[in-house]
Amino acid sequence: MNIHEIQAVVFDCDGVVIDSGADMASAVNSTLAHFGLCRLPESQIVSFVGNGARMLIVRSVAAAEGKTEAELSADIRIDGILDWYKAYYNDHAVERTVLYPGYRELLETLAARGYHMAVVSNKPLETTRRILEHFSIAGHFDAVVGPEMLKRIKPDPEGLALALLCINEKRAAESRPLLQPAQVLMVGDSWVDIRTGRNFGCNTCAVTGGLGDSEKLAAEHADMTVTYAGELAQLL
């Protein structure tokens, strides 16, 4: 990886931009209780995060009922439970959620240095946008990509491709050369993010202080490793 070639930085949301585990776990437990299911430990729910809201609910309901994910994946109840969770979480998404240390300063630094920035997350798009607006950082991003905009979510690279398309549309309007995947850095706290970056052909940065499984993250052998994304201000 040539750090000096990087001109765009794409961030995952949960575990990278925001420490959101407590609010997500609370929303899941409220959902389980609403549907008459037992609550789960916060740490267990957080371990289910990373593959989108549907898988979060499937895994949580399976754990609450002592079933496997396979048994729940086609359960006709899941759509209704998922809809209730998404609505509840959207209304309670910033009660205990905070930005990670140094992240706001990172955005300001990268913007001053001329980097493009985007968010690609498996988190529901409406909630992601609401959180970014709540923390007054939405204006830093050329694109915010969520699962509703895609046919295939991470680790498929479709979301990264769309983010780069948005960045290149902006560059084209300014008569600037288009960027290639090799000029992009994907920053994530889970194996899903690093695998996504590799599938896209871009550079990758693992964030070890996030919500993702540390062993699975390490096994992906990212090009760079930081504890928090804010540390990139000293590296780029």
Side-chain angles (χ1 to χ4, degrees), residues 54-97:
R54 184 179 184 85
M55 283 305 303
L56 173 60
I57 292 301
V58 167
R59 289 166 177 162
S60 298
V61 174
E65 295 186 336
K67 297 180 179 178
T68 67
E69 291 179 27
E71 289 176 303
L72 267 294
S73 60
D75 193 307
I76 60 173
R77 298 174 299 159
I78 294 300
D79 286 344
I81 297 173
L82 175 61
D83 288 344
W84 199 95
Y85 163 77
K86 289 167 68 175
Y88 182 93
Y89 178 49
N90 190 61
D91 290 340
H92 300 82
V94 289
E95 295 182 355
R96 289 188 286 170
T97 291

mmCIF file of all heavy atoms in Angstrom, residues 54-97:
data_model
loop_
_atom_site.group_PDB
_atom_site.id
_atom_site.type_symbol
_atom_site.label_atom_id
_atom_site.label_comp_id
_atom_site.label_asym_id
_atom_site.label_seq_id
_atom_site.Cartn_x
_atom_site.Cartn_y
_atom_site.Cartn_z
ATOM 1 N N ARG A 54 -31.316 -7.047 9.470
ATOM 2 C CA ARG A 54 -32.065 -8.307 9.404
ATOM 3 C C ARG A 54 -31.307 -9.438 10.101
ATOM 4 O O ARG A 54 -31.896 -10.184 10.891
ATOM 5 C CB ARG A 54 -32.366 -8.689 7.962
ATOM 6 C CG ARG A 54 -33.246 -9.948 7.867
ATOM 7 C CD ARG A 54 -33.578 -10.339 6.436
ATOM 8 N NE ARG A 54 -34.496 -11.472 6.442
ATOM 9 C CZ ARG A 54 -35.804 -11.395 6.544
ATOM 10 N NH1 ARG A 54 -36.383 -10.194 6.646
ATOM 11 N NH2 ARG A 54 -36.568 -12.480 6.566
ATOM 12 N N MET A 55 -30.012 -9.552 9.815
ATOM 13 C CA MET A 55 -29.246 -10.608 10.456
ATOM 14 C C MET A 55 -29.121 -10.366 11.957
ATOM 15 O O MET A 55 -29.092 -11.319 12.749
ATOM 16 C CB MET A 55 -27.862 -10.724 9.825
ATOM 17 C CG MET A 55 -27.857 -11.433 8.484
ATOM 18 S SD MET A 55 -28.630 -13.083 8.557
ATOM 19 C CE MET A 55 -27.654 -13.893 9.813
ATOM 20 N N LEU A 56 -29.069 -9.106 12.367
ATOM 21 C CA LEU A 56 -29.036 -8.787 13.792
ATOM 22 C C LEU A 56 -30.288 -9.323 14.481
ATOM 23 O O LEU A 56 -30.207 -9.938 15.549
ATOM 24 C CB LEU A 56 -28.923 -7.276 13.990
ATOM 25 C CG LEU A 56 -29.041 -6.746 15.422
ATOM 26 C CD1 LEU A 56 -27.949 -7.327 16.309
ATOM 27 C CD2 LEU A 56 -28.985 -5.225 15.422
ATOM 28 N N ILE A 57 -31.437 -9.119 13.859
ATOM 29 C CA ILE A 57 -32.690 -9.595 14.434
ATOM 30 C C ILE A 57 -32.784 -11.121 14.362
ATOM 31 O O ILE A 57 -33.206 -11.778 15.328
ATOM 32 C CB ILE A 57 -33.889 -8.937 13.731
ATOM 33 C CG1 ILE A 57 -33.932 -7.444 14.072
ATOM 34 C CG2 ILE A 57 -35.190 -9.610 14.099
ATOM 35 C CD1 ILE A 57 -34.045 -7.147 15.560
ATOM 36 N N VAL A 58 -32.401 -11.705 13.248
ATOM 37 C CA VAL A 58 -32.429 -13.164 13.128
ATOM 38 C C VAL A 58 -31.568 -13.793 14.212
ATOM 39 O O VAL A 58 -31.992 -14.735 14.913
ATOM 40 C CB VAL A 58 -31.949 -13.608 11.730
ATOM 41 C CG1 VAL A 58 -31.665 -15.117 11.710
ATOM 42 C CG2 VAL A 58 -32.992 -13.272 10.675
ATOM 43 N N ARG A 59 -30.358 -13.298 14.389
ATOM 44 C CA ARG A 59 -29.451 -13.854 15.384
ATOM 45 C C ARG A 59 -29.985 -13.656 16.801
ATOM 46 O O ARG A 59 -29.878 -14.544 17.651
ATOM 47 C CB ARG A 59 -28.073 -13.215 15.236
ATOM 48 C CG ARG A 59 -27.340 -13.652 13.980
ATOM 49 C CD ARG A 59 -26.154 -12.765 13.679
ATOM 50 N NE ARG A 59 -25.410 -13.247 12.515
ATOM 51 C CZ ARG A 59 -24.554 -12.518 11.821
ATOM 52 N NH1 ARG A 59 -24.323 -11.253 12.178
ATOM 53 N NH2 ARG A 59 -23.927 -13.012 10.778
ATOM 54 N N SER A 60 -30.565 -12.483 17.048
ATOM 55 C CA SER A 60 -31.068 -12.190 18.393
ATOM 56 C C SER A 60 -32.286 -13.041 18.728
ATOM 57 O O SER A 60 -32.384 -13.588 19.840
ATOM 58 C CB SER A 60 -31.415 -10.701 18.499
ATOM 59 O OG SER A 60 -30.262 -9.891 18.311
ATOM 60 N N VAL A 61 -33.219 -13.172 17.801
ATOM 61 C CA VAL A 61 -34.399 -13.998 18.039
ATOM 62 C C VAL A 61 -33.991 -15.465 18.193
ATOM 63 O O VAL A 61 -34.504 -16.184 19.056
ATOM 64 C CB VAL A 61 -35.434 -13.835 16.912
ATOM 65 C CG1 VAL A 61 -36.592 -14.813 17.075
ATOM 66 C CG2 VAL A 61 -35.966 -12.399 16.899
ATOM 67 N N ALA A 62 -33.054 -15.911 17.374
ATOM 68 C CA ALA A 62 -32.577 -17.289 17.474
ATOM 69 C C ALA A 62 -31.976 -17.551 18.850
ATOM 70 O O ALA A 62 -32.250 -18.574 19.484
ATOM 71 C CB ALA A 62 -31.546 -17.564 16.380
ATOM 72 N N ALA A 63 -31.164 -16.603 19.327
ATOM 73 C CA ALA A 63 -30.550 -16.766 20.641
ATOM 74 C C ALA A 63 -31.609 -16.756 21.746
ATOM 75 O O ALA A 63 -31.526 -17.530 22.704
ATOM 76 C CB ALA A 63 -29.526 -15.664 20.882
ATOM 77 N N ALA A 64 -32.597 -15.887 21.613
ATOM 78 C CA ALA A 64 -33.641 -15.781 22.634
ATOM 79 C C ALA A 64 -34.508 -17.035 22.696
ATOM 80 O O ALA A 64 -35.031 -17.394 23.755
ATOM 81 C CB ALA A 64 -34.514 -14.554 22.359
ATOM 82 N N GLU A 65 -34.638 -17.713 21.558
ATOM 83 C CA GLU A 65 -35.488 -18.903 21.498
ATOM 84 C C GLU A 65 -34.695 -20.205 21.502
ATOM 85 O O GLU A 65 -35.282 -21.289 21.435
ATOM 86 C CB GLU A 65 -36.381 -18.846 20.254
ATOM 87 C CG GLU A 65 -37.384 -17.699 20.276
ATOM 88 C CD GLU A 65 -38.363 -17.722 19.115
ATOM 89 O OE1 GLU A 65 -38.019 -18.321 18.061
ATOM 90 O OE2 GLU A 65 -39.449 -17.158 19.248
ATOM 91 N N GLY A 66 -33.376 -20.102 21.568
ATOM 92 C CA GLY A 66 -32.560 -21.305 21.569
ATOM 93 C C GLY A 66 -32.586 -22.042 20.250
ATOM 94 O O GLY A 66 -32.484 -23.278 20.213
ATOM 95 N N LYS A 67 -32.687 -21.294 19.158
ATOM 96 C CA LYS A 67 -32.729 -21.888 17.829
ATOM 97 C C LYS A 67 -31.490 -21.486 17.036
ATOM 98 O O LYS A 67 -30.680 -20.678 17.482
ATOM 99 C CB LYS A 67 -33.995 -21.446 17.084
ATOM 100 C CG LYS A 67 -35.299 -21.895 17.734
ATOM 101 C CD LYS A 67 -36.502 -21.416 16.949
ATOM 102 C CE LYS A 67 -37.804 -21.874 17.582
ATOM 103 N NZ LYS A 67 -39.001 -21.376 16.842
ATOM 104 N N THR A 68 -31.343 -22.045 15.840
ATOM 105 C CA THR A 68 -30.233 -21.686 14.960
ATOM 106 C C THR A 68 -30.668 -20.585 14.010
ATOM 107 O O THR A 68 -31.866 -20.367 13.787
ATOM 108 C CB THR A 68 -29.766 -22.898 14.145
ATOM 109 O OG1 THR A 68 -30.811 -23.272 13.231
ATOM 110 C CG2 THR A 68 -29.426 -24.072 15.048
ATOM 111 N N GLU A 69 -29.680 -19.896 13.443
ATOM 112 C CA GLU A 69 -29.984 -18.873 12.441
ATOM 113 C C GLU A 69 -30.741 -19.488 11.268
ATOM 114 O O GLU A 69 -31.664 -18.871 10.724
ATOM 115 C CB GLU A 69 -28.695 -18.222 11.943
ATOM 116 C CG GLU A 69 -27.995 -17.375 12.973
ATOM 117 C CD GLU A 69 -26.717 -16.771 12.446
ATOM 118 O OE1 GLU A 69 -26.616 -16.568 11.206
ATOM 119 O OE2 GLU A 69 -25.800 -16.514 13.246
ATOM 120 N N ALA A 70 -30.357 -20.681 10.865
ATOM 121 C CA ALA A 70 -31.016 -21.334 9.733
ATOM 122 C C ALA A 70 -32.500 -21.553 10.007
ATOM 123 O O ALA A 70 -33.340 -21.396 9.111
ATOM 124 C CB ALA A 70 -30.333 -22.660 9.419
ATOM 125 N N GLU A 71 -32.825 -21.897 11.238
ATOM 126 C CA GLU A 71 -34.223 -22.126 11.593
ATOM 127 C C GLU A 71 -35.040 -20.848 11.549
ATOM 128 O O GLU A 71 -36.238 -20.874 11.300
ATOM 129 C CB GLU A 71 -34.311 -22.746 12.989
ATOM 130 C CG GLU A 71 -33.834 -24.185 13.078
ATOM 131 C CD GLU A 71 -33.855 -24.702 14.499
ATOM 132 O OE1 GLU A 71 -33.210 -24.102 15.378
ATOM 133 O OE2 GLU A 71 -34.541 -25.719 14.733
ATOM 134 N N LEU A 72 -34.391 -19.720 11.780
ATOM 135 C CA LEU A 72 -35.093 -18.431 11.834
ATOM 136 C C LEU A 72 -35.061 -17.660 10.523
ATOM 137 O O LEU A 72 -35.856 -16.744 10.315
ATOM 138 C CB LEU A 72 -34.480 -17.550 12.931
ATOM 139 C CG LEU A 72 -35.123 -17.600 14.319
ATOM 140 C CD1 LEU A 72 -36.535 -17.045 14.290
ATOM 141 C CD2 LEU A 72 -35.097 -18.981 14.907
ATOM 142 N N SER A 73 -34.142 -17.998 9.630
ATOM 143 C CA SER A 73 -33.928 -17.185 8.425
ATOM 144 C C SER A 73 -35.170 -17.063 7.552
ATOM 145 O O SER A 73 -35.372 -16.040 6.892
ATOM 146 C CB SER A 73 -32.765 -17.753 7.600
ATOM 147 O OG SER A 73 -33.045 -19.078 7.192
ATOM 148 N N ALA A 74 -36.019 -18.083 7.542
ATOM 149 C CA ALA A 74 -37.230 -18.044 6.721
ATOM 150 C C ALA A 74 -38.495 -17.914 7.568
ATOM 151 O O ALA A 74 -39.604 -18.071 7.058
ATOM 152 C CB ALA A 74 -37.310 -19.294 5.855
ATOM 153 N N ASP A 75 -38.343 -17.595 8.851
ATOM 154 C CA ASP A 75 -39.492 -17.470 9.759
ATOM 155 C C ASP A 75 -40.344 -16.276 9.337
ATOM 156 O O ASP A 75 -39.827 -15.162 9.178
ATOM 157 C CB ASP A 75 -38.984 -17.285 11.189
ATOM 158 C CG ASP A 75 -40.085 -17.458 12.221
ATOM 159 O OD1 ASP A 75 -41.125 -16.792 12.098
ATOM 160 O OD2 ASP A 75 -39.900 -18.263 13.161
ATOM 161 N N ILE A 76 -41.637 -16.476 9.191
ATOM 162 C CA ILE A 76 -42.525 -15.415 8.699
ATOM 163 C C ILE A 76 -42.653 -14.264 9.699
ATOM 164 O O ILE A 76 -43.102 -13.170 9.344
ATOM 165 C CB ILE A 76 -43.927 -15.966 8.362
ATOM 166 C CG1 ILE A 76 -44.567 -16.579 9.616
ATOM 167 C CG2 ILE A 76 -43.851 -16.972 7.220
ATOM 168 C CD1 ILE A 76 -46.008 -16.999 9.398
ATOM 169 N N ARG A 77 -42.239 -14.476 10.943
ATOM 170 C CA ARG A 77 -42.307 -13.410 11.936
ATOM 171 C C ARG A 77 -41.229 -12.350 11.746
ATOM 172 O O ARG A 77 -41.386 -11.207 12.215
ATOM 173 C CB ARG A 77 -42.172 -13.986 13.345
ATOM 174 C CG ARG A 77 -43.242 -14.952 13.781
ATOM 175 C CD ARG A 77 -42.864 -15.546 15.137
ATOM 176 N NE ARG A 77 -41.598 -16.275 15.047
ATOM 177 C CZ ARG A 77 -40.823 -16.554 16.118
ATOM 178 N NH1 ARG A 77 -41.190 -16.162 17.325
ATOM 179 N NH2 ARG A 77 -39.707 -17.241 15.966
ATOM 180 N N ILE A 78 -40.122 -12.713 11.096
ATOM 181 C CA ILE A 78 -38.939 -11.854 11.100
ATOM 182 C C ILE A 78 -39.204 -10.488 10.482
ATOM 183 O O ILE A 78 -38.758 -9.465 11.004
ATOM 184 C CB ILE A 78 -37.758 -12.556 10.403
ATOM 185 C CG1 ILE A 78 -37.322 -13.781 11.213
ATOM 186 C CG2 ILE A 78 -36.587 -11.592 10.215
ATOM 187 C CD1 ILE A 78 -36.863 -13.458 12.626
ATOM 188 N N ASP A 79 -39.935 -10.424 9.374
ATOM 189 C CA ASP A 79 -40.175 -9.128 8.737
ATOM 190 C C ASP A 79 -40.879 -8.164 9.687
ATOM 191 O O ASP A 79 -40.519 -6.980 9.777
ATOM 192 C CB ASP A 79 -41.000 -9.302 7.460
ATOM 193 C CG ASP A 79 -40.181 -9.886 6.318
ATOM 194 O OD1 ASP A 79 -38.933 -9.866 6.411
ATOM 195 O OD2 ASP A 79 -40.782 -10.361 5.340
ATOM 196 N N GLY A 80 -41.885 -8.652 10.401
ATOM 197 C CA GLY A 80 -42.598 -7.801 11.338
ATOM 198 C C GLY A 80 -41.729 -7.374 12.507
ATOM 199 O O GLY A 80 -41.773 -6.211 12.941
ATOM 200 N N ILE A 81 -40.938 -8.297 13.028
ATOM 201 C CA ILE A 81 -40.024 -7.977 14.129
ATOM 202 C C ILE A 81 -38.973 -6.972 13.666
ATOM 203 O O ILE A 81 -38.643 -6.013 14.376
ATOM 204 C CB ILE A 81 -39.365 -9.262 14.673
ATOM 205 C CG1 ILE A 81 -40.423 -10.200 15.257
ATOM 206 C CG2 ILE A 81 -38.309 -8.922 15.719
ATOM 207 C CD1 ILE A 81 -39.891 -11.560 15.671
ATOM 208 N N LEU A 82 -38.464 -7.185 12.461
ATOM 209 C CA LEU A 82 -37.452 -6.276 11.905
ATOM 210 C C LEU A 82 -38.011 -4.874 11.743
ATOM 211 O O LEU A 82 -37.353 -3.879 12.098
ATOM 212 C CB LEU A 82 -36.961 -6.815 10.571
ATOM 213 C CG LEU A 82 -35.987 -5.924 9.786
ATOM 214 C CD1 LEU A 82 -34.712 -5.685 10.582
ATOM 215 C CD2 LEU A 82 -35.664 -6.554 8.433
ATOM 216 N N ASP A 83 -39.207 -4.754 11.207
ATOM 217 C CA ASP A 83 -39.811 -3.434 11.014
ATOM 218 C C ASP A 83 -39.980 -2.714 12.345
ATOM 219 O O ASP A 83 -39.733 -1.500 12.450
ATOM 220 C CB ASP A 83 -41.161 -3.565 10.311
ATOM 221 C CG ASP A 83 -41.034 -3.940 8.845
ATOM 222 O OD1 ASP A 83 -39.920 -3.801 8.297
ATOM 223 O OD2 ASP A 83 -42.040 -4.371 8.252
ATOM 224 N N TRP A 84 -40.416 -3.446 13.377
ATOM 225 C CA TRP A 84 -40.604 -2.831 14.697
ATOM 226 C C TRP A 84 -39.256 -2.362 15.247
ATOM 227 O O TRP A 84 -39.149 -1.243 15.774
ATOM 228 C CB TRP A 84 -41.248 -3.840 15.649
ATOM 229 C CG TRP A 84 -41.877 -3.203 16.853
ATOM 230 C CD1 TRP A 84 -43.182 -2.853 17.005
ATOM 231 C CD2 TRP A 84 -41.209 -2.849 18.079
ATOM 232 N NE1 TRP A 84 -43.377 -2.286 18.251
ATOM 233 C CE2 TRP A 84 -42.186 -2.278 18.938
ATOM 234 C CE3 TRP A 84 -39.896 -2.961 18.542
ATOM 235 C CZ2 TRP A 84 -41.884 -1.813 20.218
ATOM 236 C CZ3 TRP A 84 -39.592 -2.489 19.817
ATOM 237 C CH2 TRP A 84 -40.579 -1.934 20.636
ATOM 238 N N TYR A 85 -38.229 -3.214 15.106
ATOM 239 C CA TYR A 85 -36.891 -2.842 15.578
ATOM 240 C C TYR A 85 -36.373 -1.594 14.878
ATOM 241 O O TYR A 85 -35.869 -0.657 15.529
ATOM 242 C CB TYR A 85 -35.908 -4.001 15.364
ATOM 243 C CG TYR A 85 -34.467 -3.559 15.437
ATOM 244 C CD1 TYR A 85 -33.859 -3.306 16.656
ATOM 245 C CD2 TYR A 85 -33.725 -3.356 14.267
ATOM 246 C CE1 TYR A 85 -32.539 -2.865 16.726
ATOM 247 C CE2 TYR A 85 -32.409 -2.917 14.328
ATOM 248 C CZ TYR A 85 -31.830 -2.676 15.556
ATOM 249 O OH TYR A 85 -30.528 -2.226 15.614
ATOM 250 N N LYS A 86 -36.478 -1.551 13.562
ATOM 251 C CA LYS A 86 -35.939 -0.416 12.806
ATOM 252 C C LYS A 86 -36.615 0.885 13.202
ATOM 253 O O LYS A 86 -35.964 1.922 13.347
ATOM 254 C CB LYS A 86 -36.069 -0.679 11.301
ATOM 255 C CG LYS A 86 -35.117 -1.755 10.800
ATOM 256 C CD LYS A 86 -35.455 -2.221 9.397
ATOM 257 C CE LYS A 86 -35.218 -1.175 8.356
ATOM 258 N NZ LYS A 86 -35.437 -1.695 6.982
ATOM 259 N N ALA A 87 -37.918 0.856 13.395
ATOM 260 C CA ALA A 87 -38.642 2.060 13.802
ATOM 261 C C ALA A 87 -38.247 2.485 15.210
ATOM 262 O O ALA A 87 -37.997 3.680 15.477
ATOM 263 C CB ALA A 87 -40.154 1.819 13.715
ATOM 264 N N TYR A 88 -38.161 1.512 16.120
ATOM 265 C CA TYR A 88 -37.803 1.829 17.502
ATOM 266 C C TYR A 88 -36.370 2.351 17.584
ATOM 267 O O TYR A 88 -36.100 3.365 18.245
ATOM 268 C CB TYR A 88 -37.961 0.582 18.387
ATOM 269 C CG TYR A 88 -37.659 0.859 19.839
ATOM 270 C CD1 TYR A 88 -38.676 1.216 20.722
ATOM 271 C CD2 TYR A 88 -36.355 0.772 20.331
ATOM 272 C CE1 TYR A 88 -38.403 1.492 22.060
ATOM 273 C CE2 TYR A 88 -36.065 1.049 21.660
ATOM 274 C CZ TYR A 88 -37.089 1.402 22.516
ATOM 275 O OH TYR A 88 -36.807 1.685 23.836
ATOM 276 N N TYR A 89 -35.462 1.658 16.905
ATOM 277 C CA TYR A 89 -34.057 2.075 16.957
ATOM 278 C C TYR A 89 -33.868 3.456 16.359
ATOM 279 O O TYR A 89 -33.127 4.292 16.901
ATOM 280 C CB TYR A 89 -33.173 1.047 16.257
ATOM 281 C CG TYR A 89 -31.713 1.443 16.232
ATOM 282 C CD1 TYR A 89 -31.062 1.873 17.383
ATOM 283 C CD2 TYR A 89 -30.972 1.392 15.050
ATOM 284 C CE1 TYR A 89 -29.730 2.242 17.367
ATOM 285 C CE2 TYR A 89 -29.634 1.752 15.028
ATOM 286 C CZ TYR A 89 -29.025 2.180 16.187
ATOM 287 O OH TYR A 89 -27.695 2.558 16.161
ATOM 288 N N ASN A 90 -34.550 3.741 15.262
ATOM 289 C CA ASN A 90 -34.420 5.056 14.642
ATOM 290 C C ASN A 90 -34.821 6.164 15.614
ATOM 291 O O ASN A 90 -34.236 7.256 15.609
ATOM 292 C CB ASN A 90 -35.265 5.133 13.371
ATOM 293 C CG ASN A 90 -34.989 6.384 12.568
ATOM 294 O OD1 ASN A 90 -33.866 6.621 12.117
ATOM 295 N ND2 ASN A 90 -36.013 7.206 12.375
ATOM 296 N N ASP A 91 -35.818 5.877 16.456
ATOM 297 C CA ASP A 91 -36.296 6.871 17.423
ATOM 298 C C ASP A 91 -35.423 6.959 18.666
ATOM 299 O O ASP A 91 -35.558 7.907 19.457
ATOM 300 C CB ASP A 91 -37.732 6.546 17.848
ATOM 301 C CG ASP A 91 -38.743 6.782 16.736
ATOM 302 O OD1 ASP A 91 -38.430 7.530 15.800
ATOM 303 O OD2 ASP A 91 -39.845 6.207 16.820
ATOM 304 N N HIS A 92 -34.556 5.987 18.889
ATOM 305 C CA HIS A 92 -33.732 5.948 20.099
ATOM 306 C C HIS A 92 -32.254 5.743 19.776
ATOM 307 O O HIS A 92 -31.496 5.209 20.595
ATOM 308 C CB HIS A 92 -34.212 4.816 21.023
ATOM 309 C CG HIS A 92 -35.625 4.961 21.469
ATOM 310 N ND1 HIS A 92 -36.697 4.565 20.688
ATOM 311 C CD2 HIS A 92 -36.154 5.475 22.615
ATOM 312 C CE1 HIS A 92 -37.821 4.808 21.346
ATOM 313 N NE2 HIS A 92 -37.526 5.364 22.507
ATOM 314 N N ALA A 93 -31.821 6.206 18.622
ATOM 315 C CA ALA A 93 -30.479 5.875 18.129
ATOM 316 C C ALA A 93 -29.359 6.699 18.737
ATOM 317 O O ALA A 93 -28.180 6.342 18.590
ATOM 318 C CB ALA A 93 -30.435 6.014 16.605
ATOM 319 N N VAL A 94 -29.685 7.796 19.397
ATOM 320 C CA VAL A 94 -28.611 8.669 19.895
ATOM 321 C C VAL A 94 -28.769 8.955 21.391
ATOM 322 O O VAL A 94 -28.399 10.014 21.879
ATOM 323 C CB VAL A 94 -28.551 9.994 19.097
ATOM 324 C CG1 VAL A 94 -28.022 9.735 17.696
ATOM 325 C CG2 VAL A 94 -29.917 10.663 19.026
ATOM 326 N N GLU A 95 -29.304 8.000 22.125
ATOM 327 C CA GLU A 95 -29.459 8.198 23.565
ATOM 328 C C GLU A 95 -28.151 8.000 24.317
ATOM 329 O O GLU A 95 -27.819 8.746 25.224
ATOM 330 C CB GLU A 95 -30.546 7.262 24.102
ATOM 331 C CG GLU A 95 -31.927 7.611 23.536
ATOM 332 C CD GLU A 95 -33.033 6.739 24.087
ATOM 333 O OE1 GLU A 95 -32.729 5.784 24.841
ATOM 334 O OE2 GLU A 95 -34.201 7.020 23.763
ATOM 335 N N ARG A 96 -27.394 6.965 23.940
ATOM 336 C CA ARG A 96 -26.079 6.727 24.556
ATOM 337 C C ARG A 96 -24.962 6.641 23.526
ATOM 338 O O ARG A 96 -23.791 6.457 23.879
ATOM 339 C CB ARG A 96 -26.127 5.436 25.389
ATOM 340 C CG ARG A 96 -26.945 5.566 26.666
ATOM 341 C CD ARG A 96 -26.807 4.330 27.539
ATOM 342 N NE ARG A 96 -27.553 3.200 26.978
ATOM 343 C CZ ARG A 96 -27.449 1.963 27.438
ATOM 344 N NH1 ARG A 96 -26.587 1.675 28.406
ATOM 345 N NH2 ARG A 96 -28.180 0.982 26.906
ATOM 346 N N THR A 97 -25.292 6.778 22.274
ATOM 347 C CA THR A 97 -24.300 6.714 21.200
ATOM 348 C C THR A 97 -23.422 7.958 21.192
ATOM 349 O O THR A 97 -23.915 9.074 21.373
ATOM 350 C CB THR A 97 -25.013 6.548 19.849
ATOM 351 O OG1 THR A 97 -25.595 5.238 19.789
ATOM 352 C CG2 THR A 97 -24.048 6.713 18.683
#
